[in-house]
mmCIF file of all heavy atoms in Angstrom:
data_model
loop_
_atom_site.group_PDB
_atom_site.id
_atom_site.type_symbol
_atom_site.label_atom_id
_atom_site.label_comp_id
_atom_site.label_asym_id
_atom_site.label_seq_id
_atom_site.Cartn_x
_atom_site.Cartn_y
_atom_site.Cartn_z
ATOM 1 N N THR A 83 -31.965 -49.274 7.931
ATOM 2 C CA THR A 83 -33.036 -50.114 8.481
ATOM 3 C C THR A 83 -33.570 -51.077 7.425
ATOM 4 O O THR A 83 -33.311 -50.904 6.225
ATOM 5 C CB THR A 83 -34.190 -49.236 8.996
ATOM 6 O OG1 THR A 83 -34.837 -48.627 7.865
ATOM 7 C CG2 THR A 83 -33.701 -48.164 9.973
ATOM 8 N N GLU A 84 -34.322 -52.045 7.883
ATOM 9 C CA GLU A 84 -34.988 -52.958 6.943
ATOM 10 C C GLU A 84 -35.894 -52.171 5.999
ATOM 11 O O GLU A 84 -35.969 -52.469 4.815
ATOM 12 C CB GLU A 84 -35.793 -54.016 7.702
ATOM 13 C CG GLU A 84 -34.946 -55.067 8.382
ATOM 14 C CD GLU A 84 -34.167 -55.931 7.397
ATOM 15 O OE1 GLU A 84 -34.742 -56.355 6.364
ATOM 16 O OE2 GLU A 84 -32.976 -56.162 7.660
ATOM 17 N N ALA A 85 -36.579 -51.158 6.542
ATOM 18 C CA ALA A 85 -37.467 -50.347 5.709
ATOM 19 C C ALA A 85 -36.689 -49.611 4.624
ATOM 20 O O ALA A 85 -37.208 -49.394 3.526
ATOM 21 C CB ALA A 85 -38.237 -49.363 6.573
ATOM 22 N N ASP A 86 -35.449 -49.231 4.926
ATOM 23 C CA ASP A 86 -34.618 -48.546 3.925
ATOM 24 C C ASP A 86 -34.343 -49.434 2.715
ATOM 25 O O ASP A 86 -34.070 -48.926 1.625
ATOM 26 C CB ASP A 86 -33.273 -48.123 4.530
ATOM 27 C CG ASP A 86 -33.388 -47.019 5.559
ATOM 28 O OD1 ASP A 86 -34.367 -46.246 5.526
ATOM 29 O OD2 ASP A 86 -32.476 -46.933 6.399
ATOM 30 N N LEU A 87 -34.358 -50.739 2.916
ATOM 31 C CA LEU A 87 -34.006 -51.682 1.858
ATOM 32 C C LEU A 87 -35.190 -52.092 0.981
ATOM 33 O O LEU A 87 -35.016 -52.803 -0.009
ATOM 34 C CB LEU A 87 -33.368 -52.933 2.478
ATOM 35 C CG LEU A 87 -32.069 -52.669 3.256
ATOM 36 C CD1 LEU A 87 -31.657 -53.919 4.029
ATOM 37 C CD2 LEU A 87 -30.968 -52.201 2.326
ATOM 38 N N ALA A 88 -36.382 -51.631 1.331
ATOM 39 C CA ALA A 88 -37.586 -51.999 0.576
ATOM 40 C C ALA A 88 -37.559 -51.371 -0.818
ATOM 41 O O ALA A 88 -36.932 -50.332 -1.031
ATOM 42 C CB ALA A 88 -38.824 -51.533 1.332
ATOM 43 N N PRO A 89 -38.255 -52.011 -1.752
ATOM 44 C CA PRO A 89 -38.388 -51.394 -3.078
ATOM 45 C C PRO A 89 -39.030 -50.010 -2.939
ATOM 46 O O PRO A 89 -39.825 -49.765 -2.036
ATOM 47 C CB PRO A 89 -39.318 -52.340 -3.832
ATOM 48 C CG PRO A 89 -39.188 -53.652 -3.118
ATOM 49 C CD PRO A 89 -38.936 -53.303 -1.675
ATOM 50 N N PHE A 90 -38.686 -49.110 -3.840
ATOM 51 C CA PHE A 90 -39.230 -47.753 -3.834
ATOM 52 C C PHE A 90 -40.301 -47.696 -4.913
ATOM 53 O O PHE A 90 -40.007 -47.690 -6.104
ATOM 54 C CB PHE A 90 -38.119 -46.734 -4.100
ATOM 55 C CG PHE A 90 -38.497 -45.322 -3.794
ATOM 56 C CD1 PHE A 90 -38.462 -44.848 -2.490
ATOM 57 C CD2 PHE A 90 -38.887 -44.457 -4.803
ATOM 58 C CE1 PHE A 90 -38.804 -43.524 -2.198
ATOM 59 C CE2 PHE A 90 -39.227 -43.134 -4.526
ATOM 60 C CZ PHE A 90 -39.188 -42.671 -3.218
ATOM 61 N N THR A 91 -41.544 -47.660 -4.482
ATOM 62 C CA THR A 91 -42.681 -47.747 -5.399
ATOM 63 C C THR A 91 -43.225 -46.364 -5.751
ATOM 64 O O THR A 91 -42.825 -45.357 -5.163
ATOM 65 C CB THR A 91 -43.816 -48.565 -4.760
ATOM 66 O OG1 THR A 91 -44.321 -47.817 -3.638
ATOM 67 C CG2 THR A 91 -43.330 -49.944 -4.308
ATOM 68 N N GLN A 92 -44.162 -46.350 -6.676
ATOM 69 C CA GLN A 92 -44.836 -45.094 -7.033
ATOM 70 C C GLN A 92 -45.537 -44.505 -5.808
ATOM 71 O O GLN A 92 -45.533 -43.289 -5.611
ATOM 72 C CB GLN A 92 -45.840 -45.316 -8.169
ATOM 73 C CG GLN A 92 -46.493 -44.038 -8.656
ATOM 74 C CD GLN A 92 -45.503 -43.035 -9.231
ATOM 75 O OE1 GLN A 92 -44.650 -43.369 -10.055
ATOM 76 N NE2 GLN A 92 -45.611 -41.778 -8.798
ATOM 77 N N ASP A 93 -46.135 -45.363 -4.971
ATOM 78 C CA ASP A 93 -46.763 -44.870 -3.743
ATOM 79 C C ASP A 93 -45.729 -44.220 -2.826
ATOM 80 O O ASP A 93 -46.013 -43.197 -2.190
ATOM 81 C CB ASP A 93 -47.478 -45.999 -2.997
ATOM 82 C CG ASP A 93 -48.771 -46.429 -3.671
ATOM 83 O OD1 ASP A 93 -49.302 -45.668 -4.513
ATOM 84 O OD2 ASP A 93 -49.248 -47.534 -3.352
ATOM 85 N N ASP A 94 -44.535 -44.808 -2.743
ATOM 86 C CA ASP A 94 -43.466 -44.215 -1.925
ATOM 87 C C ASP A 94 -43.066 -42.848 -2.474
ATOM 88 O O ASP A 94 -42.829 -41.906 -1.710
ATOM 89 C CB ASP A 94 -42.238 -45.128 -1.875
ATOM 90 C CG ASP A 94 -42.524 -46.435 -1.164
ATOM 91 O OD1 ASP A 94 -43.168 -46.418 -0.100
ATOM 92 O OD2 ASP A 94 -42.093 -47.487 -1.687
ATOM 93 N N LEU A 95 -42.986 -42.741 -3.788
ATOM 94 C CA LEU A 95 -42.662 -41.460 -4.415
ATOM 95 C C LEU A 95 -43.737 -40.427 -4.099
ATOM 96 O O LEU A 95 -43.429 -39.288 -3.746
ATOM 97 C CB LEU A 95 -42.489 -41.628 -5.928
ATOM 98 C CG LEU A 95 -42.225 -40.350 -6.717
ATOM 99 C CD1 LEU A 95 -40.975 -39.623 -6.231
ATOM 100 C CD2 LEU A 95 -42.132 -40.680 -8.202
ATOM 101 N N ASP A 96 -45.000 -40.824 -4.210
ATOM 102 C CA ASP A 96 -46.098 -39.901 -3.892
ATOM 103 C C ASP A 96 -46.009 -39.438 -2.443
ATOM 104 O O ASP A 96 -46.196 -38.250 -2.151
ATOM 105 C CB ASP A 96 -47.454 -40.569 -4.134
ATOM 106 C CG ASP A 96 -47.728 -40.859 -5.598
ATOM 107 O OD1 ASP A 96 -47.042 -40.279 -6.480
ATOM 108 O OD2 ASP A 96 -48.624 -41.679 -5.869
ATOM 109 N N GLU A 97 -45.720 -40.356 -1.530
ATOM 110 C CA GLU A 97 -45.581 -40.010 -0.109
ATOM 111 C C GLU A 97 -44.399 -39.062 0.104
ATOM 112 O O GLU A 97 -44.503 -38.090 0.850
ATOM 113 C CB GLU A 97 -45.392 -41.269 0.735
ATOM 114 C CG GLU A 97 -46.589 -42.187 0.775
ATOM 115 C CD GLU A 97 -47.727 -41.633 1.598
ATOM 116 O OE1 GLU A 97 -47.461 -41.075 2.683
ATOM 117 O OE2 GLU A 97 -48.878 -41.762 1.157
ATOM 118 N N ALA A 98 -43.284 -39.354 -0.549
ATOM 119 C CA ALA A 98 -42.102 -38.499 -0.421
ATOM 120 C C ALA A 98 -42.399 -37.099 -0.936
ATOM 121 O O ALA A 98 -42.005 -36.101 -0.309
ATOM 122 C CB ALA A 98 -40.922 -39.114 -1.172
ATOM 123 N N ARG A 99 -43.079 -37.013 -2.068
ATOM 124 C CA ARG A 99 -43.431 -35.691 -2.610
ATOM 125 C C ARG A 99 -44.286 -34.912 -1.623
ATOM 126 O O ARG A 99 -44.044 -33.727 -1.381
ATOM 127 C CB ARG A 99 -44.181 -35.847 -3.935
ATOM 128 C CG ARG A 99 -43.292 -36.150 -5.100
ATOM 129 C CD ARG A 99 -44.100 -36.227 -6.385
ATOM 130 N NE ARG A 99 -43.233 -36.458 -7.513
ATOM 131 C CZ ARG A 99 -43.507 -37.306 -8.500
ATOM 132 N NH1 ARG A 99 -44.637 -37.994 -8.497
ATOM 133 N NH2 ARG A 99 -42.657 -37.465 -9.492
ATOM 134 N N SER A 100 -45.294 -35.572 -1.066
ATOM 135 C CA SER A 100 -46.173 -34.895 -0.105
ATOM 136 C C SER A 100 -45.399 -34.461 1.131
ATOM 137 O O SER A 100 -45.515 -33.316 1.586
ATOM 138 C CB SER A 100 -47.333 -35.810 0.298
ATOM 139 O OG SER A 100 -48.198 -36.005 -0.793
ATOM 140 N N ARG A 101 -44.624 -35.360 1.676
ATOM 141 C CA ARG A 101 -43.878 -35.081 2.921
ATOM 142 C C ARG A 101 -42.855 -33.957 2.721
ATOM 143 O O ARG A 101 -42.829 -32.983 3.460
ATOM 144 C CB ARG A 101 -43.182 -36.360 3.391
ATOM 145 C CG ARG A 101 -42.393 -36.238 4.676
ATOM 146 C CD ARG A 101 -41.822 -37.586 5.112
ATOM 147 N NE ARG A 101 -42.907 -38.543 5.338
ATOM 148 C CZ ARG A 101 -43.153 -39.610 4.557
ATOM 149 N NH1 ARG A 101 -42.388 -39.884 3.524
ATOM 150 N NH2 ARG A 101 -44.166 -40.411 4.825
ATOM 151 N N LEU A 102 -42.003 -34.113 1.723
ATOM 152 C CA LEU A 102 -40.923 -33.140 1.541
ATOM 153 C C LEU A 102 -41.426 -31.794 1.034
ATOM 154 O O LEU A 102 -40.917 -30.747 1.443
ATOM 155 C CB LEU A 102 -39.844 -33.702 0.618
ATOM 156 C CG LEU A 102 -39.092 -34.919 1.150
ATOM 157 C CD1 LEU A 102 -38.005 -35.344 0.168
ATOM 158 C CD2 LEU A 102 -38.517 -34.683 2.533
ATOM 159 N N THR A 103 -42.435 -31.808 0.169
ATOM 160 C CA THR A 103 -42.988 -30.545 -0.314
ATOM 161 C C THR A 103 -43.621 -29.768 0.836
ATOM 162 O O THR A 103 -43.450 -28.550 0.948
ATOM 163 C CB THR A 103 -44.015 -30.792 -1.436
ATOM 164 O OG1 THR A 103 -43.345 -31.469 -2.515
ATOM 165 C CG2 THR A 103 -44.618 -29.497 -1.944
ATOM 166 N N ARG A 104 -44.333 -30.460 1.708
ATOM 167 C CA ARG A 104 -44.935 -29.785 2.857
ATOM 168 C C ARG A 104 -43.865 -29.243 3.809
ATOM 169 O O ARG A 104 -43.975 -28.126 4.310
ATOM 170 C CB ARG A 104 -45.886 -30.715 3.582
ATOM 171 C CG ARG A 104 -47.217 -30.852 2.884
ATOM 172 C CD ARG A 104 -48.126 -31.881 3.563
ATOM 173 N NE ARG A 104 -49.445 -31.891 2.982
ATOM 174 C CZ ARG A 104 -49.769 -32.442 1.819
ATOM 175 N NH1 ARG A 104 -48.837 -33.035 1.091
ATOM 176 N NH2 ARG A 104 -51.001 -32.409 1.358
ATOM 177 N N LEU A 105 -42.843 -30.033 4.060
ATOM 178 C CA LEU A 105 -41.766 -29.554 4.928
ATOM 179 C C LEU A 105 -41.072 -28.335 4.320
ATOM 180 O O LEU A 105 -40.759 -27.369 5.030
ATOM 181 C CB LEU A 105 -40.746 -30.665 5.191
ATOM 182 C CG LEU A 105 -41.150 -31.693 6.236
ATOM 183 C CD1 LEU A 105 -40.216 -32.904 6.189
ATOM 184 C CD2 LEU A 105 -41.136 -31.067 7.626
ATOM 185 N N ALA A 106 -40.852 -28.350 3.027
ATOM 186 C CA ALA A 106 -40.227 -27.204 2.368
ATOM 187 C C ALA A 106 -41.122 -25.966 2.483
ATOM 188 O O ALA A 106 -40.634 -24.851 2.695
ATOM 189 C CB ALA A 106 -39.931 -27.513 0.898
ATOM 190 N N ARG A 107 -42.439 -26.135 2.348
ATOM 191 C CA ARG A 107 -43.359 -25.001 2.473
ATOM 192 C C ARG A 107 -43.358 -24.468 3.901
ATOM 193 O O ARG A 107 -43.421 -23.255 4.120
ATOM 194 C CB ARG A 107 -44.792 -25.387 2.077
ATOM 195 C CG ARG A 107 -45.048 -25.508 0.608
ATOM 196 C CD ARG A 107 -44.663 -24.334 -0.285
ATOM 197 N NE ARG A 107 -44.856 -23.000 0.258
ATOM 198 C CZ ARG A 107 -44.032 -21.964 0.029
ATOM 199 N NH1 ARG A 107 -42.967 -22.100 -0.729
ATOM 200 N NH2 ARG A 107 -44.279 -20.783 0.545
ATOM 201 N N ILE A 108 -43.322 -25.351 4.894
ATOM 202 C CA ILE A 108 -43.255 -24.895 6.285
ATOM 203 C C ILE A 108 -42.003 -24.047 6.479
ATOM 204 O O ILE A 108 -42.047 -22.971 7.072
ATOM 205 C CB ILE A 108 -43.288 -26.084 7.263
ATOM 206 C CG1 ILE A 108 -44.656 -26.763 7.240
ATOM 207 C CG2 ILE A 108 -42.945 -25.630 8.686
ATOM 208 C CD1 ILE A 108 -44.696 -28.125 7.946
ATOM 209 N N TRP A 109 -40.874 -24.533 5.972
ATOM 210 C CA TRP A 109 -39.623 -23.781 6.062
ATOM 211 C C TRP A 109 -39.748 -22.435 5.348
ATOM 212 O O TRP A 109 -39.376 -21.396 5.893
ATOM 213 C CB TRP A 109 -38.473 -24.580 5.456
ATOM 214 C CG TRP A 109 -37.715 -25.378 6.454
ATOM 215 C CD1 TRP A 109 -37.854 -26.708 6.728
ATOM 216 C CD2 TRP A 109 -36.685 -24.901 7.331
ATOM 217 N NE1 TRP A 109 -36.975 -27.067 7.711
ATOM 218 C CE2 TRP A 109 -36.245 -25.982 8.096
ATOM 219 C CE3 TRP A 109 -36.096 -23.655 7.519
ATOM 220 C CZ2 TRP A 109 -35.239 -25.871 9.050
ATOM 221 C CZ3 TRP A 109 -35.091 -23.526 8.475
ATOM 222 C CH2 TRP A 109 -34.676 -24.631 9.228
ATOM 223 N N ALA A 110 -40.262 -22.455 4.128
ATOM 224 C CA ALA A 110 -40.363 -21.220 3.347
ATOM 225 C C ALA A 110 -41.285 -20.220 4.048
ATOM 226 O O ALA A 110 -40.970 -19.021 4.111
ATOM 227 C CB ALA A 110 -40.864 -21.522 1.935
ATOM 228 N N ASN A 111 -42.399 -20.694 4.573
ATOM 229 C CA ASN A 111 -43.327 -19.800 5.267
ATOM 230 C C ASN A 111 -42.689 -19.220 6.520
ATOM 231 O O ASN A 111 -42.813 -18.027 6.807
ATOM 232 C CB ASN A 111 -44.619 -20.525 5.617
ATOM 233 C CG ASN A 111 -45.431 -20.869 4.383
ATOM 234 O OD1 ASN A 111 -45.284 -20.270 3.328
ATOM 235 N ND2 ASN A 111 -46.294 -21.860 4.514
ATOM 236 N N ARG A 112 -42.011 -20.054 7.293
ATOM 237 C CA ARG A 112 -41.381 -19.582 8.532
ATOM 238 C C ARG A 112 -40.277 -18.572 8.217
ATOM 239 O O ARG A 112 -40.208 -17.506 8.801
ATOM 240 C CB ARG A 112 -40.830 -20.770 9.323
ATOM 241 C CG ARG A 112 -39.880 -20.415 10.459
ATOM 242 C CD ARG A 112 -40.352 -19.265 11.296
ATOM 243 N NE ARG A 112 -41.283 -19.699 12.302
ATOM 244 C CZ ARG A 112 -42.039 -18.843 12.993
ATOM 245 N NH1 ARG A 112 -41.976 -17.553 12.762
ATOM 246 N NH2 ARG A 112 -42.850 -19.287 13.900
ATOM 247 N N LEU A 113 -39.421 -18.919 7.259
ATOM 248 C CA LEU A 113 -38.326 -18.025 6.912
ATOM 249 C C LEU A 113 -38.851 -16.714 6.333
ATOM 250 O O LEU A 113 -38.318 -15.646 6.617
ATOM 251 C CB LEU A 113 -37.366 -18.704 5.933
ATOM 252 C CG LEU A 113 -36.580 -19.885 6.506
ATOM 253 C CD1 LEU A 113 -35.926 -20.669 5.375
ATOM 254 C CD2 LEU A 113 -35.557 -19.426 7.526
ATOM 255 N N GLY A 114 -39.911 -16.793 5.544
ATOM 256 C CA GLY A 114 -40.497 -15.608 4.947
ATOM 257 C C GLY A 114 -41.120 -14.672 5.967
ATOM 258 O O GLY A 114 -41.282 -13.477 5.702
ATOM 259 N N ALA A 115 -41.467 -15.197 7.130
ATOM 260 C CA ALA A 115 -42.072 -14.384 8.182
ATOM 261 C C ALA A 115 -41.023 -13.681 9.046
ATOM 262 O O ALA A 115 -41.375 -12.835 9.871
ATOM 263 C CB ALA A 115 -42.971 -15.253 9.065
ATOM 264 N N LEU A 116 -39.758 -14.029 8.849
ATOM 265 C CA LEU A 116 -38.688 -13.423 9.643
ATOM 266 C C LEU A 116 -38.102 -12.224 8.918
ATOM 267 O O LEU A 116 -38.024 -12.207 7.686
ATOM 268 C CB LEU A 116 -37.589 -14.459 9.914
ATOM 269 C CG LEU A 116 -38.004 -15.694 10.701
ATOM 270 C CD1 LEU A 116 -36.845 -16.691 10.779
ATOM 271 C CD2 LEU A 116 -38.501 -15.329 12.098
ATOM 272 N N THR A 117 -37.672 -11.253 9.675
ATOM 273 C CA THR A 117 -36.993 -10.094 9.095
ATOM 274 C C THR A 117 -35.556 -10.488 8.743
ATOM 275 O O THR A 117 -35.042 -11.509 9.228
ATOM 276 C CB THR A 117 -36.954 -8.928 10.094
ATOM 277 O OG1 THR A 117 -36.132 -9.309 11.212
ATOM 278 C CG2 THR A 117 -38.357 -8.549 10.562
ATOM 279 N N ASP A 118 -34.911 -9.665 7.932
ATOM 280 C CA ASP A 118 -33.498 -9.906 7.631
ATOM 281 C C ASP A 118 -32.670 -9.907 8.912
ATOM 282 O O ASP A 118 -31.742 -10.707 9.061
ATOM 283 C CB ASP A 118 -32.948 -8.870 6.655
ATOM 284 C CG ASP A 118 -33.346 -9.159 5.217
ATOM 285 O OD1 ASP A 118 -33.649 -10.328 4.901
ATOM 286 O OD2 ASP A 118 -33.346 -8.217 4.405
ATOM 287 N N ASP A 119 -33.017 -9.029 9.843
ATOM 288 C CA ASP A 119 -32.297 -8.985 11.115
ATOM 289 C C ASP A 119 -32.454 -10.305 11.872
ATOM 290 O O ASP A 119 -31.480 -10.837 12.407
ATOM 291 C CB ASP A 119 -32.787 -7.814 11.970
ATOM 292 C CG ASP A 119 -31.899 -7.593 13.185
ATOM 293 O OD1 ASP A 119 -30.682 -7.355 12.989
ATOM 294 O OD2 ASP A 119 -32.416 -7.684 14.317
ATOM 295 N N GLN A 120 -33.672 -10.844 11.907
ATOM 296 C CA GLN A 120 -33.885 -12.127 12.584
ATOM 297 C C GLN A 120 -33.158 -13.263 11.866
ATOM 298 O O GLN A 120 -32.658 -14.181 12.510
ATOM 299 C CB GLN A 120 -35.376 -12.450 12.666
ATOM 300 C CG GLN A 120 -36.136 -11.597 13.648
ATOM 301 C CD GLN A 120 -37.631 -11.841 13.552
ATOM 302 O OE1 GLN A 120 -38.229 -11.721 12.479
ATOM 303 N NE2 GLN A 120 -38.223 -12.194 14.676
ATOM 304 N N LEU A 121 -33.115 -13.195 10.553
ATOM 305 C CA LEU A 121 -32.418 -14.230 9.793
ATOM 306 C C LEU A 121 -30.921 -14.204 10.062
ATOM 307 O O LEU A 121 -30.291 -15.258 10.150
ATOM 308 C CB LEU A 121 -32.664 -14.062 8.293
ATOM 309 C CG LEU A 121 -34.054 -14.421 7.791
ATOM 310 C CD1 LEU A 121 -34.234 -13.956 6.351
ATOM 311 C CD2 LEU A 121 -34.305 -15.914 7.917
ATOM 312 N N ASP A 122 -30.375 -13.015 10.204
ATOM 313 C CA ASP A 122 -28.924 -12.883 10.298
ATOM 314 C C ASP A 122 -28.391 -12.719 11.722
ATOM 315 O O ASP A 122 -27.215 -12.943 11.965
ATOM 316 C CB ASP A 122 -28.451 -11.724 9.424
ATOM 317 C CG ASP A 122 -28.737 -11.988 7.952
ATOM 318 O OD1 ASP A 122 -28.562 -13.146 7.518
ATOM 319 O OD2 ASP A 122 -29.153 -11.060 7.253
ATOM 320 N N ARG A 123 -29.243 -12.343 12.655
ATOM 321 C CA ARG A 123 -28.843 -12.222 14.059
ATOM 322 C C ARG A 123 -29.843 -12.996 14.904
ATOM 323 O O ARG A 123 -30.594 -12.428 15.687
ATOM 324 C CB ARG A 123 -28.779 -10.752 14.465
ATOM 325 C CG ARG A 123 -27.580 -10.029 13.905
ATOM 326 C CD ARG A 123 -27.447 -8.611 14.423
ATOM 327 N NE ARG A 123 -28.133 -7.609 13.619
ATOM 328 C CZ ARG A 123 -27.795 -7.247 12.391
ATOM 329 N NH1 ARG A 123 -26.805 -7.838 11.791
ATOM 330 N NH2 ARG A 123 -28.452 -6.296 11.760
ATOM 331 N N SER A 124 -29.852 -14.267 14.710
ATOM 332 C CA SER A 124 -30.854 -15.140 15.309
ATOM 333 C C SER A 124 -30.570 -15.382 16.784
ATOM 334 O O SER A 124 -29.413 -15.430 17.197
ATOM 335 C CB SER A 124 -30.876 -16.468 14.557
ATOM 336 O OG SER A 124 -30.977 -16.222 13.162
ATOM 337 N N PRO A 125 -31.636 -15.560 17.570
ATOM 338 C CA PRO A 125 -31.451 -15.788 19.003
ATOM 339 C C PRO A 125 -30.837 -17.154 19.287
ATOM 340 O O PRO A 125 -30.952 -18.076 18.486
ATOM 341 C CB PRO A 125 -32.872 -15.699 19.560
ATOM 342 C CG PRO A 125 -33.750 -16.073 18.415
ATOM 343 C CD PRO A 125 -33.042 -15.580 17.183
ATOM 344 N N GLY A 126 -30.217 -17.257 20.444
ATOM 345 C CA GLY A 126 -29.654 -18.533 20.873
ATOM 346 C C GLY A 126 -28.317 -18.809 20.227
ATOM 347 O O GLY A 126 -27.802 -18.029 19.432
ATOM 348 N N GLU A 127 -27.767 -19.939 20.608
ATOM 349 C CA GLU A 127 -26.460 -20.331 20.086
ATOM 350 C C GLU A 127 -26.609 -21.127 18.801
ATOM 351 O O GLU A 127 -27.579 -21.843 18.616
ATOM 352 C CB GLU A 127 -25.720 -21.165 21.138
ATOM 353 C CG GLU A 127 -25.343 -20.350 22.350
ATOM 354 C CD GLU A 127 -24.403 -21.106 23.269
ATOM 355 O OE1 GLU A 127 -23.691 -22.009 22.788
ATOM 356 O OE2 GLU A 127 -24.409 -20.775 24.454
ATOM 357 N N GLY A 128 -25.613 -21.000 17.953
ATOM 358 C CA GLY A 128 -25.610 -21.759 16.709
ATOM 359 C C GLY A 128 -25.626 -20.836 15.509
ATOM 360 O O GLY A 128 -25.507 -19.613 15.620
ATOM 361 N N TRP A 129 -25.803 -21.439 14.349
ATOM 362 C CA TRP A 129 -25.848 -20.689 13.107
ATOM 363 C C TRP A 129 -27.022 -19.715 13.121
ATOM 364 O O TRP A 129 -28.040 -19.964 13.763
ATOM 365 C CB TRP A 129 -26.039 -21.627 11.927
ATOM 366 C CG TRP A 129 -24.872 -22.486 11.599
ATOM 367 C CD1 TRP A 129 -23.555 -22.151 11.662
ATOM 368 C CD2 TRP A 129 -24.913 -23.830 11.115
ATOM 369 N NE1 TRP A 129 -22.774 -23.206 11.240
ATOM 370 C CE2 TRP A 129 -23.596 -24.250 10.905
ATOM 371 C CE3 TRP A 129 -25.936 -24.710 10.838
ATOM 372 C CZ2 TRP A 129 -23.270 -25.506 10.430
ATOM 373 C CZ3 TRP A 129 -25.620 -25.967 10.365
ATOM 374 C CH2 TRP A 129 -24.290 -26.353 10.166
ATOM 375 N N SER A 130 -26.891 -18.656 12.349
ATOM 376 C CA SER A 130 -28.053 -17.796 12.137
ATOM 377 C C SER A 130 -29.098 -18.626 11.390
ATOM 378 O O SER A 130 -28.776 -19.653 10.789
ATOM 379 C CB SER A 130 -27.667 -16.565 11.313
ATOM 380 O OG SER A 130 -27.463 -16.920 9.951
ATOM 381 N N PHE A 131 -30.338 -18.161 11.409
ATOM 382 C CA PHE A 131 -31.390 -18.914 10.717
ATOM 383 C C PHE A 131 -31.152 -18.947 9.216
ATOM 384 O O PHE A 131 -31.465 -19.933 8.550
ATOM 385 C CB PHE A 131 -32.773 -18.350 11.042
ATOM 386 C CG PHE A 131 -33.151 -18.488 12.498
ATOM 387 C CD1 PHE A 131 -34.063 -17.618 13.071
ATOM 388 C CD2 PHE A 131 -32.607 -19.482 13.304
ATOM 389 C CE1 PHE A 131 -34.427 -17.734 14.404
ATOM 390 C CE2 PHE A 131 -32.960 -19.610 14.636
ATOM 391 C CZ PHE A 131 -33.872 -18.730 15.190
ATOM 392 N N ARG A 132 -30.568 -17.894 8.666
ATOM 393 C CA ARG A 132 -30.218 -17.915 7.240
ATOM 394 C C ARG A 132 -29.164 -18.999 6.988
ATOM 395 O O ARG A 132 -29.278 -19.800 6.067
ATOM 396 C CB ARG A 132 -29.698 -16.560 6.776
ATOM 397 C CG ARG A 132 -29.439 -16.502 5.268
ATOM 398 C CD ARG A 132 -28.827 -15.184 4.823
ATOM 399 N NE ARG A 132 -29.526 -14.012 5.294
ATOM 400 C CZ ARG A 132 -30.544 -13.444 4.666
ATOM 401 N NH1 ARG A 132 -30.993 -13.945 3.537
ATOM 402 N NH2 ARG A 132 -31.120 -12.350 5.167
ATOM 403 N N GLU A 133 -28.129 -19.030 7.837
ATOM 404 C CA GLU A 133 -27.080 -20.050 7.685
ATOM 405 C C GLU A 133 -27.649 -21.447 7.863
ATOM 406 O O GLU A 133 -27.246 -22.391 7.166
ATOM 407 C CB GLU A 133 -25.958 -19.810 8.691
ATOM 408 C CG GLU A 133 -25.142 -18.573 8.419
ATOM 409 C CD GLU A 133 -24.219 -18.198 9.571
ATOM 410 O OE1 GLU A 133 -24.573 -18.421 10.750
ATOM 411 O OE2 GLU A 133 -23.138 -17.674 9.269
ATOM 412 N N LEU A 134 -28.578 -21.601 8.792
ATOM 413 C CA LEU A 134 -29.206 -22.894 9.030
ATOM 414 C C LEU A 134 -29.926 -23.376 7.773
ATOM 415 O O LEU A 134 -29.768 -24.531 7.349
ATOM 416 C CB LEU A 134 -30.194 -22.759 10.193
ATOM 417 C CG LEU A 134 -30.639 -24.004 10.915
ATOM 418 C CD1 LEU A 134 -29.466 -24.722 11.548
ATOM 419 C CD2 LEU A 134 -31.655 -23.626 11.981
ATOM 420 N N ALA A 135 -30.698 -22.475 7.155
ATOM 421 C CA ALA A 135 -31.412 -22.830 5.929
ATOM 422 C C ALA A 135 -30.445 -23.143 4.795
ATOM 423 O O ALA A 135 -30.637 -24.116 4.052
ATOM 424 C CB ALA A 135 -32.362 -21.703 5.533
#
Side-chain angles (χ1 to χ4, degrees):
T83 69
E84 287 295 316
D86 291 336
L87 299 170
F90 194 81
T91 67
Q92 184 62 48
D93 286 343
D94 295 316
L95 177 58
D96 293 343
E97 294 288 318
R99 282 183 177 138
S100 292
R101 181 176 300 111
L102 295 183
T103 300
R104 282 175 173 76
L105 281 167
R107 284 307 324 144
I108 292 168
W109 266 99
N111 292 338
R112 167 44 83 193
L113 293 167
L116 299 175
T117 66
D118 281 337
D119 190 59
Q120 288 173 305
L121 288 169
D122 296 320
R123 286 186 270 292
S124 310
E127 292 190 25
W129 290 323
S130 74
F131 296 155
R132 185 184 309 273
E133 291 168 327
L134 199 61

